[in-house]
Amino acid sequence: MSGEITMIGSVILALLLAGYLGQQYLPPPRPKVIGLDLGTTFCSVGVFHPGSGEVEVIADEEGRLSIPSAVSFTTTAVLVGHEAVNLADSNPQNTVYDAKRFIGKTFEPEVLEQESARYPFKVINNKGSAEFLLFTNHSFSVSPEFIGSRLLLKMRKMAERHLGVPIQKAVISVPAEFDERQRNYTIRAADLAGLEVLRVINEPTAAAMAYGLHKVDVLNVMVVDLGGGTLDVSLLNKQGGMFLTRAMAGNNKLGGQDFSQRLLQYTMERVRQEFGVAPTLKEDIHRLRQVVEAAKLNLTVQPSVTIKIPLHLYEDNGSESPDGTAPAPVVLEAVVTRKLFEQLNEDLFQKILTPIETVLAEGHLDKQDVDVIVLVGGSTRIPRIRKLISEYFGKEPNTSVDPDMAVVTGVAIQAGIMGGSWPLQVSAIEIPNRHLHKTNFS
Ligand SMILES: *[C@@H]1O[C@H](CO)[C@@H](O)[C@H](O)[C@H]1NC(C)=O
Ligand SMILES: *[C@@H]1O[C@H](CO)[C@@H](O)[C@H](O)[C@H]1NC(C)=O
Ligand SMILES: *[C@@H]1O[C@H](CO)[C@@H](O)[C@H](O)[C@H]1NC(C)=O
Ligand SMILES: *[C@@H]1O[C@H](CO)[C@@H](O)[C@H](O)[C@H]1NC(C)=O
């Protein structure tokens, strides 16, 4: 009898040992759940590696960590991401971007008409929902969730290629302000891309998780997300491992594009002063825009940049020169300092504080009570903006995570938790906030 027990005991022990050794010496399991950040202007996909305990943001074939949220339709193909952007100039009516602004939303017809006027592609009204009208060999329309699905499918394929396993499950982030319908349509987009969504998490919560705030003792987290076109500010409250969004506010017409636009206007004015005429040729303005954008990015790390652009200036606004040939190019050379860039944008930068004050007021919190400030979005790299925020709170914002990768990093951590590969089960649940409204200043 006791011999039998010993026998069984040693079998169990052997099994346990085999399991233990297996864990030690087998290659670590591959992630099966991906984390998706389906952004308005850029998308990224990440995974949590159980072996190393690290998040990896997956690059495309060319090593880029995010793809533009654009989809372009031609007579023969549907192009996604960078390939779509490359066609934006030659195929503007059929290159759809910003689809996230329309997903799962219902609109008054007049509002949709105004929206359509902002874009080179046509936005039409389908029983209160937006659709994009396209013209290739024939005319047809696609939904915002279809656009989303093409982006998600591209990211799924990037992940499958990189990991070498088929992927069917994902965690996806959405703006905190998304209502149930917008969340449902985002899930539908994933569904169309062959992905089952295990959880939808709020972008600010994901950003907080990227900083490991689900594991440490903090109470009040301010997330400031300043992207290309919008500012979103959220006040999160963490209670026993759960994140609650206490207040949110923002400005849906403030972002990096506006700062670039100020610099572009300045540069155009410089051209007018120096050469007597403003640039009117489409190609020139396009090139100016690109140079200004590059200069803006450089000014984050350098105190000044020199821009040098050849331009074809027509005396007579926009019309062809008499013999149809382009005039000889002139070259604009200008030094742009960071200080000048800041002066051109100071009033816009100040506007960032308005929604911050609103969420503090609505959350009944003093700014001193904010434990951690998390910055998200490329525009939060601008030194003047960081300074403005740190002076306002009297404390440094948390900046160790790349602000463009904070959301995808957090979503990938959540994907790791859902995939069961997290070493210890840290909860990161959100309390659904059905009646919370975002105050918008714009
Ligand atoms: C459009 O025309 C091209 C050839 O010009 C053809 O290859 C393609 O299949 C057509 N697409 C559709 C959707 O009809
Ligand atoms: C969202 O989807 C859930 C589950 O499919 C459904 O029960 C709910 O009614 C949907 N809500 C909206 C607003 O579409
Ligand atoms: C920005 O910096 C990069 C690399 O430092 C450089 O190649 C580029 O010419 C710079 N652009 C401008 C407009 O100064
Ligand atoms: C950033 O967050 C980490 C993790 O919570 C924390 O340890 C660190 O002190 C923070 N840094 C700043 C500057 O707030």
Side-chain angles (χ1 to χ4, degrees):
M1 187 68 192
S2 80
E4 251 172 63
I5 291 172
T6 318
M7 252 284 281
I8 294 168
S10 40
V11 167
I12 291 171
L13 188 66
L15 283 175
L16 284 175
L17 201 62
Y20 173 76
L21 289 175
Q23 266 185 1
Q24 296 292 299
Y25 298 111
L26 283 177
R30 286 168 196 257
K32 292 204 178 62
V33 185
I34 53 176
L36 296 162
D37 169 12
L38 180 62
T40 308
T41 45
F42 284 97
C43 298
S44 296
V45 52
V47 285
F48 177 77
H49 286 289
S52 62
E54 272 167 20
V55 165
E56 181 185 20
V57 180
I58 295 170
D60 70 357
E61 298 85 345
E62 320 234 328
R64 296 170 295 214
L65 296 180
S66 48
I67 62 170
S69 307
V71 177
S72 191
F73 296 80
T74 70
T75 53
T76 51
V78 180
L79 301 164
V80 180
H82 291 95
E83 290 172 46
V85 168
N86 292 342
L87 280 186
D89 282 332
S90 61
N91 189 26
Q93 313 89 314
N94 293 320
T95 304
V96 179
Y97 55 89
D98 270 4
K100 186 179 177 178
R101 294 189 58 237
F102 300 95
I103 198 165
K105 259 177 114 167
T106 48
F107 294 89
E108 296 299 324
E110 316 82 71
V111 176
L112 217 45
E113 271 165 39
Q114 286 163 15
E115 288 290 336
S116 186
R118 288 177 58 185
Y119 293 104
F121 49 85
K122 208 157 171 52
V123 186
I124 55 167
N125 182 351
N126 178 14
K127 300 185 207 109
S129 295
E131 287 205 339
F132 308 108
L133 188 61
L134 306 161
F135 303 91
T136 56
N137 318 24
H138 59 301
S139 107
F140 59 102
S141 65
V142 298
S143 61
E145 57 275 17
F146 179 79
I147 299 293
S149 76
R150 295 307 94 181
L151 293 161
L152 296 174
L153 184 62
K154 163 113 187 162
M155 291 194 284
R156 177 185 166 198
K157 289 191 173 150
M158 278 160 60
E160 289 181 335
R161 194 179 62 96
H162 181 72
L163 300 168
V165 290
I167 298 287
Q168 271 120 23
K169 295 186 170 124
V171 172
I172 193 165
S173 57
V174 295
E177 72 195 84
F178 262 27
D179 63 18
E180 195 182 329
R181 196 164 187 271
Q182 290 169 297
R183 284 163 204 258
N184 276 6
Y185 277 81
T186 303
I187 293 171
R188 191 175 292 182
D191 194 42
L192 290 172
L195 288 165
E196 180 195 348
V197 174
L198 300 185
R199 184 169 289 177
V200 176
I201 72 168
N202 288 346
E203 287 162 7
T205 303
M209 290 179 73
Y211 280 100
L213 300 183
H214 54 301
K215 292 185 292 186
V216 299
D217 203 17
V218 292
L219 194 55
N220 298 308
V221 182
M222 180 74 76
V223 182
V224 180
D225 182 348
L226 184 62
T230 54
L231 167 67
D232 288 294
V233 179
S234 315
L235 178 62
L236 306 183
N237 190 233
K238 204 180 140 215
Q239 299 168 358
M242 297 208 285
F243 287 98
L244 167 71
T245 308
R246 264 177 73 161
M248 53 190 167
N251 184 330
N252 58 18
K253 297 206 173 77
L254 183 67
Q257 290 153 8
D258 303 293
F259 312 145
S260 301
Q261 186 63 26
R262 287 279 173 93
L263 196 52
L264 181 68
Q265 281 165 356
Y266 167 83
T267 314
M268 302 263 271
E269 183 54 27
R270 273 291 287 263
V271 173
R272 212 186 54 77
Q273 283 174 3
E274 213 156 301
F275 304 103
V277 277
T280 48
L281 203 66
K282 232 172 98 184
E283 289 75 32
D284 278 350
I285 294 173
H286 182 68
R287 194 145 5 93
L288 264 173
R289 223 178 255 289
Q290 286 179 323
V291 168
V292 157
E293 185 64 25
K296 180 186 79 171
L297 298 183
N298 278 16
L299 288 174
T300 290
V301 287
Q302 290 164 211
S304 79
V305 294
T306 304
I307 55 177
K308 209 169 164 182
I309 323 162
L311 298 165
H312 303 80
L313 300 174
Y314 292 94
E315 289 296 337
D316 163 13
N317 271 354
S319 66
E320 293 277 316
S321 63
D323 57 358
T325 57
V330 296
V331 177
L332 172 76
E333 195 169 339
V335 174
V336 179
T337 62
R338 184 187 289 172
K339 197 159 184 58
L340 171 69
F341 175 70
E342 290 171 354
Q343 282 164 355
L344 292 172
N345 283 296
E346 186 58 22
D347 60 317
L348 295 181
F349 291 169
Q350 289 293 338
K351 284 187 178 181
I352 294 167
L353 297 179
T354 311
I356 291 179
E357 284 173 343
T358 304
V359 296
L360 288 172
E362 287 181 1
H364 306 290
L365 207 70
D366 287 332
K367 57 186 178 183
Q368 295 82 358
D369 297 329
V370 172
D371 300 311
V372 183
I373 306 143
V374 168
L375 300 184
V376 186
S379 300
T380 60
R381 289 201 188 87
I382 295 173
R384 174 72 189 134
I385 291 177
R386 286 199 173 174
K387 187 150 177 277
L388 211 61
I389 293 171
S390 62
E391 280 176 358
Y392 179 79
F393 285 101
K395 96 165 46 133
E396 289 300 315
N398 224 317
T399 55
S400 58
V401 177
D402 178 343
D404 284 320
M405 295 299 142
V407 171
V408 69
T409 300
V411 186
I413 292 170
Q414 183 70 62
I417 296 172
M418 301 304 292
S421 50
W422 196 261
L424 67 163
Q425 198 63 31
V426 282
S427 56
I429 312 228
E430 286 173 283
I431 305 172
N433 35 285
R434 295 187 196 290
H435 304 294
L436 202 55
H437 287 286
K438 182 180 149 192
T439 317
N440 195 32
F441 299 91
S442 66

